[in-house]
Amino acid sequence: MIKYTDFTYFFYRLSINCLLFLLLFFLMDFERSLGYFSIFNSSTPSIISILIYLLIRKLNFSPSNILLFILGILNDVMSGVSLGFSSMFLLLIKFQAENLSLLKLNKNHEQQWFSFTFIFITTFLIVLLINVTVNLNIPDLNPLLFHVGTTLILFPIINSGLDLIFFITRMIKTNS
Amino acid sequence: MVSGKPSNNRTIKEGRNFNFVLILLCLLLVFLGKLDLIAIRNIKSFLFDFWAPVTHVVNKPIKEIAVILEDVKSTSSLRQENIKLKNELRKLKSLNIQSESKELELLELRGLLNVLPKLKNEIVTGRVITAPGGIFANTVLINSGKNFGIQIGQPAISSFGLVGYVVNVGLKTSRILLLIDINSMIPIYLTSSNWPAVAQGQNGNLLEIKFLSSDAIPIEGETVETSGHGGRLPSGINVGKIIKSFSGEYYIKPSVDFQRMTYISILTNNQTINIDDKKFQGFAPLQNPKPSSIFKGIDSSGKRKIEREQD
């Protein structure tokens, strides 16, 4: 029997979240630096939202709220956006992925894709609306559509990649 | 079996509430950030000074891969590019001869009219350490800051023209708001049709022309330069060229390729206006024309100057 106390459980969660923080931080930096490629001239896809969704829905691991908040603040500082935008985006993705019971469709890849599309687009629209309200100006739609489009195209690729990794590890385990 | 782990239902409910509180906090931060509080600005400067080296290290390999891919792509069109460059060189040689004679003429005329000499620009050049572009902001970070005398509001240029202006300065880094950002507004004038206007970014590739007179008819392909109105930016810096959209609206295509910037220069001797000064009357482009001010496209009485071409 593993006996957890509140204290040990706290440190167990803390260490996992610290590792996750590092992983997501480097992923966010990678996401920003994709802008150097001419194909992502106008905007880059949101890989982090795909990963957070998959962590919650596929791996049943919920990243901590504080972690997402700090990560978003750091991303805002480094990309020059008003503080709070990225944090809000990440927290909204988490909130929707965890709480929208109607969208908990996990049977196959298509259902997961539809569920992600709904969550991503609603979150993006909320953040965009706040951005328009704050700036009192409607931005060019091309980069926004490109951002949404590339993210939705990348989702099934990353999802299938993750399945492939699971399949290979399972195969190695059974063979050994 | 696990014991001591907090109750699942309780943690889910608490987590949901905390998530909601943090979302509200983010919303508050967004509006506070818009107030441009000094404390928030200082925290931001400290954080990007601190994280800049990490970002630089992470970005470096990806940037190099992107450069290699671009190089590979360009090798396929080397022959065509060579022919194009030879043609351009021929044109430039003939233009160079013409400009030399015109420069002499201009200097002579300036001497006759007793025009005030332009201040020699003092430049600080920094390396770009973050990728430009983003869906909500278009800014870049350079690796020089207060240690090189950079201040908020100073213009940033590249060899092609205006890049933007400094919006935040740290000890060793500065953030530059690019022309294409939605919050960027630059007083400009159209060099051929001679109309003043304001260029506003749209977070896209083109700039919108605002406050252009309804009488104005921009010429497609004409050069756009900074007008110097408001005293924020010096006049005569190249911004871009006028292009006409399918809908018949005019836009400005910036001369600078924001994706391929490696170095950015800051004009450090450009005197920025102190907004706290009681005499300061805002940045409106055509406000209170002074007879001593020499604004391009505007005469001493504040009216539009019409330059007729000599036959």
Side-chain angles (χ1 to χ4, degrees):
Chain A
M1 188 183 114
I2 306 163
K3 195 177 180 186
Y4 280 105
T5 58
D6 279 352
F7 191 70
T8 48
Y9 182 71
F10 170 76
F11 274 101
Y12 161 73
R13 291 283 300 179
L14 187 74
S15 56
I16 285 184
N17 277 307
C18 282
L19 281 173
L20 193 70
F21 176 81
L22 283 175
L23 173 80
L24 294 178
F25 178 73
F26 283 109
L27 192 78
M28 271 194 145
D29 230 45
F30 170 75
E31 196 181 295
R32 270 200 311 273
S33 56
L34 278 178
Y36 286 120
F37 291 93
S38 55
I39 190 170
F40 299 115
N41 240 344
S42 46
S43 62
T44 53
S46 174
I47 303 169
I48 194 149
S49 57
I50 300 174
L51 205 78
I52 289 171
Y53 175 87
L54 290 175
L55 272 174
I56 295 167
R57 286 289 171 88
K58 210 164 184 137
L59 305 175
N60 282 324
F61 180 81
S62 176
S64 108
N65 290 318
I66 288 282
L67 179 139
L68 295 180
F69 179 76
I70 297 169
L71 207 66
I73 293 287
L74 280 178
N75 187 51
D76 287 336
V77 167
M78 292 319 288
S79 56
V81 192
S82 297
L83 289 184
F85 270 116
S86 302
S87 303
M88 197 193 303
F89 182 77
L90 298 178
L91 288 166
L92 277 169
I93 287 269
K94 189 198 164 187
F95 183 79
Q96 293 203 72
E98 276 181 343
N99 299 312
L100 290 182
S101 52
L102 276 173
L103 288 159
K104 282 186 177 167
L105 311 161
N106 277 320
K107 282 178 184 169
N108 55 37
H109 278 192
E110 282 122 63
Q111 282 186 352
Q112 281 173 356
W113 188 78
F114 278 121
S115 157
F116 176 75
T117 305
F118 180 82
I119 289 170
F120 182 73
I121 289 176
T122 44
T123 310
F124 186 73
L125 283 176
I126 293 167
V127 178
L128 180 67
L129 194 76
I130 294 164
N131 188 52
V132 170
T133 317
V134 167
N135 289 318
L136 296 171
N137 219 326
I138 300 165
D140 190 7
L141 287 177
N142 283 347
L144 302 178
L145 294 174
F146 186 82
H147 172 77
V148 174
T150 44
T151 308
L152 296 183
I153 288 169
L154 269 179
F155 178 79
I157 298 167
I158 295 174
N159 198 4
S160 308
L162 216 63
D163 278 349
L164 188 74
I165 293 166
F166 287 150
F167 175 72
I168 291 166
T169 45
R170 217 179 303 139
M171 219 165 61
I172 293 166
K173 272 181 188 171
T174 47
N175 283 343
S176 60
Chain B
M1 196 181 155
V2 175
S3 72
K5 194 177 166 181
S7 149
N8 216 22
N9 282 340
R10 201 189 78 198
T11 42
I12 287 170
K13 205 177 173 186
E14 278 175 1
R16 200 183 295 170
N17 291 342
F18 189 50
N19 186 301
F20 193 67
V21 169
L22 280 178
I23 290 170
L24 286 178
L25 184 68
C26 291
L27 201 67
L28 191 76
L29 266 176
V30 167
F31 286 99
L32 274 177
K34 209 62 196 166
L35 292 175
D36 201 20
L37 299 173
I38 295 167
I40 290 182
R41 212 192 294 164
N42 288 345
I43 291 168
K44 271 178 154 181
S45 317
F46 169 75
L47 280 173
F48 67 63
D49 255 357
F50 186 74
W51 284 107
V54 181
T55 310
H56 183 59
V57 170
V58 176
N59 282 0
K60 189 80 181 157
I62 297 154
K63 195 179 177 182
E64 292 303 320
I65 292 167
V67 170
I68 291 166
L69 280 175
E70 283 296 311
D71 285 349
V72 170
K73 223 163 83 179
S74 65
T75 46
S76 58
S77 57
L78 268 180
R79 201 180 133 77
Q80 282 175 333
E81 209 167 310
N82 196 25
I83 296 165
K84 200 179 135 192
L85 285 172
K86 274 181 182 173
N87 284 335
E88 270 181 22
L89 187 70
R90 219 172 291 144
K91 277 182 198 168
L92 282 173
K93 272 181 183 173
S94 64
L95 276 172
N96 194 28
I97 297 161
Q98 283 175 24
S99 66
E100 271 174 15
S101 64
K102 281 194 174 169
E103 201 180 337
L104 280 171
E105 200 182 314
L106 184 74
L107 283 170
E108 219 167 280
L109 287 169
R110 271 178 183 268
L112 283 170
L113 291 168
N114 207 12
V115 177
L116 288 170
K118 274 187 180 177
L119 282 172
K120 205 178 173 190
N121 287 326
E122 278 172 29
I123 285 172
V124 169
T125 304
R127 183 187 271 273
V128 178
I129 50 175
T130 56
I135 39 165
F136 296 125
N138 283 278
T139 59
V140 285
L141 210 61
I142 61 163
N143 65 350
S144 18
K146 277 178 191 162
N147 52 349
F148 286 100
I150 295 174
Q151 288 171 14
I152 292 174
Q154 287 173 338
I157 57 165
S158 79
S159 52
F160 295 103
L162 189 72
V163 172
Y165 50 88
V166 180
V167 284
N168 212 336
V169 190
L171 198 64
K172 289 174 185 170
T173 51
S174 311
R175 183 164 293 285
I176 290 151
L177 186 79
L178 301 180
L179 284 182
I180 49 172
D181 189 275
I182 202 156
N183 292 308
S184 154
M185 285 181 112
I186 306 284
I188 50 150
Y189 88 101
L190 317 181
T191 52
S192 304
S193 56
N194 223 359
W195 284 98
V198 171
Q200 189 184 20
Q202 297 177 293
N203 278 355
N205 295 324
L206 302 174
L207 309 177
E208 204 179 329
I209 307 171
K210 289 211 163 179
F211 307 112
L212 183 67
S213 166
S214 53
D215 298 333
I217 306 164
I219 304 159
E220 212 180 336
E222 76 175 294
T223 310
V224 176
E225 287 181 357
T226 52
S227 64
H229 294 155
R232 186 99 176 168
L233 299 167
S235 64
I237 304 176
N238 186 23
V239 174
K241 278 190 161 56
I242 295 279
I243 58 159
K244 198 176 179 181
S245 70
F246 290 114
S247 57
E249 281 178 64
Y250 290 96
Y251 291 97
I252 301 164
K253 188 174 170 46
S255 320
V256 180
D257 183 354
F258 296 102
Q259 236 61 38
R260 287 160 199 253
M261 289 184 303
T262 317
Y263 290 98
I264 289 178
S265 303
I266 311 291
L267 301 179
T268 49
N269 63 336
N270 183 56
Q271 285 183 338
T272 49
I273 291 166
N274 186 11
I275 301 170
D276 301 327
D277 193 352
K278 281 179 184 171
K279 286 177 186 171
F280 177 68
Q281 292 177 318
F283 291 121
L286 300 175
Q287 198 174 16
N288 294 345
K290 292 171 195 165
S292 58
S293 305
I294 307 155
F295 292 147
K296 290 193 174 180
I298 303 286
D299 65 12
S300 57
S301 63
K303 286 178 182 168
R304 197 172 76 86
K305 194 165 67 185
I306 299 162
E307 288 172 6
R308 294 179 201 285
E309 278 184 25
Q310 285 181 344
D311 292 327

